[in-house]
Amino acid sequence: MTDSGSLSQLQTISIALQALAAGIILVLFSNISFHTFGYGFGLSFIPIFALMYWPKNASRSWSLFFVFLMGVLQAAMSFTPLGLLAFCYLILFVVLGGEMTFSNRLAPAWGSYITCILFIGTLMYFVGSLVIGQWPNLIPIFTDAVASTIVFPMLFWLRKLISDFGPESERREIV
Amino acid sequence: MSERGFNRPQNQRTFRRGLAIGLIFVCILMMLADRQQKQVLESGRLTPDDISAKIMGTFAAPVRGIEKLFSTMGDRARAYEENKILKAENERLLAFEHKVLDLETRIKIFEDLLGMEPGENEIKRVAARSVSEVNGPFVHSTLINAGTNKNIAQGHAVATVDGLLGHVVRVGKSSARVLLLNDLNSHISVMSRRSHSRAIMIGTNGKRPQLDYIAPEADWQVGDRVVTSGDGGVFPSGIAIGVVENLKGKNLGVKLNTQDTPVDWVWVYLFSPTEAPEESVEEELATEEANAGVSEQNP
């Protein structure tokens, strides 16, 4: 009984770690800047994808800590005020509560993603203004949000591809 | 079998709530500390910078390659017309080359007359690669893959082939964080190449930094080329920055030479700021007089 209990707890921590790994990969991609047609932009909102599809059966306590780590890592890498992104991600994670199920169809999932980006963008804008002492520049928030929205179908398709490779039992859990 | 202690769902929920509140509280503390620019957080950022410089160097390389492919596409299409223009420009510059050579000879003569060491004014510079550029809502910075291992220090000017990009604000062992000219915290002493009028160029977090602290008699005009003034001995003088243009209202802005171009390779100027004299001339004279007085009393 004890063994199976601790094993299941280890499994939930391991699932949370897998989600963190996926989040870190997205954080790395979020730090790449692009210059096309005279405009510079980034994909700073794509780690939200990891939060949206955080596994339901991951350890909740460890997940909170890992989400915090993800935010701190992204802030440290992008030179954003430390704590700001972790704060926004934690709030979003608490709001989503791991209970929301996002549709397996592209259009509704895309809509939910845009809502999450709007939520994080607004939170970042107002909390960020308190941190830097003036209103942040809205244009990069907007361009990054648009760029992150555009790449969503690719991330969605990749996630579906990965989940299709898994065994039938896991596939049901992920979907 | 009923669950006890921590395994009770109620206790687990309370723990999770406490953890969430605690972590949010830590985030608020970090933001406050960051606003106060605490050194604790500064040192904490160095390791991620070093690591991300290595990782982002690998990640960003293909992106930079694709960007170059796109940016040179238009150049290739205009190759014939540009070749004609370049030939004409080359002919025009040949005359300048003779002038420059003549001026170099004259400078050499003056340097010999003044007893200056050859190359006394040359500033060493090292090449580095920009691995991660951030043009976000809060900060405009770039990470370069060279640090103390290449003698880079805080305050060193960083430039591309187009002109000044920014200055180093933090140095790790193998990476350095460069604050770009349009960042809110960037304040650079500049001058007009035409009139030699001085001003302070302040970043606005937007595309165009603003010229401020302009003296009433200063002569600034739209279209003036802006270069570093070298005042205060922080930056070497004469590094190109951009061109003056009108902003909204009566403010003057600067269209940066490095704006909207992908930053790949950069130069870091290993220019050491001029240090203030340790002892003033008056103090030195007073010490000498006091010493002379003592020696007269005790022959």
Side-chain angles (χ1 to χ4, degrees), chain A residues 28 31 33-35 38 60-61 75 77-82 84 87 124 128 130-131 134 136-137 140-141, chain B residues 16 19 24 27 30-31 34-35 45 52 56 64 67 132-135 137-139 170 177 184 205 260:
Chain A
L28 290 175
N31 274 289
S33 61
F34 301 89
H35 286 269
R60 304 307 300 163
S61 313
M77 285 179 79
S78 64
F79 207 49
T80 311
L82 268 185
L84 176 65
F87 177 81
M124 255 172 73
L130 295 174
V131 179
Q134 73 160 61
N137 193 357
I141 296 182
Chain B
R16 277 203 299 270
L19 183 68
I24 288 171
C27 291
M30 284 170 107
M31 282 189 272
D34 203 83
R35 193 178 172 172
R45 278 178 185 268
S52 71
M56 295 313 292
R64 294 288 97 86
E67 277 174 0
S132 165
E133 199 184 339
V134 181
N135 280 309
F138 307 104
V139 78
R170 211 171 53 217
R177 179 68 68 176
L184 203 64
N205 257 6
D260 297 333

Side-chain angles (χ1 to χ4, degrees), chain A residues 1 9 25 27-29 31-40 60-62 64-65 68 72-73 75-84 86-87 90-91 94 124-125 127-138 140-141 144, chain B residues 1 6 12 15-17 19-20 23-24 26-28 30-31 34-35 41-42 45 48-49 52 55-56 59-60 63-64 67 70 131-141 143 169-170 177 179 184 204-207 260-263:
Chain A
M1 182 82 186
Q9 200 177 351
I25 292 170
V27 165
L28 290 175
F29 275 104
N31 274 289
I32 301 175
S33 61
F34 301 89
H35 286 269
T36 317
F37 310 116
Y39 289 97
R60 304 307 300 163
S61 313
W62 280 97
L64 280 168
F65 183 63
F68 169 78
V72 171
L73 181 75
M77 285 179 79
S78 64
F79 207 49
T80 311
L82 268 185
L84 176 65
F87 177 81
L90 274 172
I91 298 280
V94 170
M124 255 172 73
Y125 186 73
V127 180
S129 69
L130 295 174
V131 179
I132 63 168
Q134 73 160 61
W135 293 113
N137 193 357
L138 203 58
I141 296 182
D144 282 18
Chain B
M1 196 169 158
F6 183 74
Q12 282 186 349
F15 174 74
R16 277 203 299 270
R17 261 180 219 153
L19 183 68
L23 286 171
I24 288 171
V26 172
C27 291
I28 295 168
M30 284 170 107
M31 282 189 272
D34 203 83
R35 193 178 172 172
L41 294 185
E42 284 295 301
R45 278 178 185 268
D49 270 2
S52 71
I55 300 170
M56 295 313 292
F59 263 68
V63 177
R64 294 288 97 86
E67 277 174 0
F70 274 103
V131 289
S132 165
E133 199 184 339
V134 181
N135 280 309
F138 307 104
V139 78
H140 293 259
S141 77
L143 192 67
V169 284
R170 211 171 53 217
R177 179 68 68 176
L179 195 73
L184 203 64
T204 54
N205 257 6
K207 276 194 169 186
D260 297 333
T261 51
V263 178

Side-chain angles (χ1 to χ4, degrees), chain B residues 238-249:
Chain B
I239 305 176
I241 292 177
V243 180
V244 175
E245 63 175 24
N246 259 329
L247 288 181
K248 279 175 189 171

Side-chain angles (χ1 to χ4, degrees), chain B residues 161-204:
Chain B
V161 284
D162 298 312
L164 189 70
L165 182 73
H167 68 280
V168 176
V169 284
R170 211 171 53 217
V171 197
K173 199 179 171 189
S174 57
S175 70
R177 179 68 68 176
V178 179
L179 195 73
L180 303 186
L181 293 173
N182 49 349
D183 188 88
L184 203 64
N185 295 311
S186 169
H187 293 66
I188 309 285
S189 176
V190 296
M191 71 176 180
S192 157
R193 180 155 272 176
R194 179 187 58 81
S195 65
H196 288 197
S197 295
R198 273 18 187 207
I200 301 288
M201 191 179 77
I202 299 172
T204 54

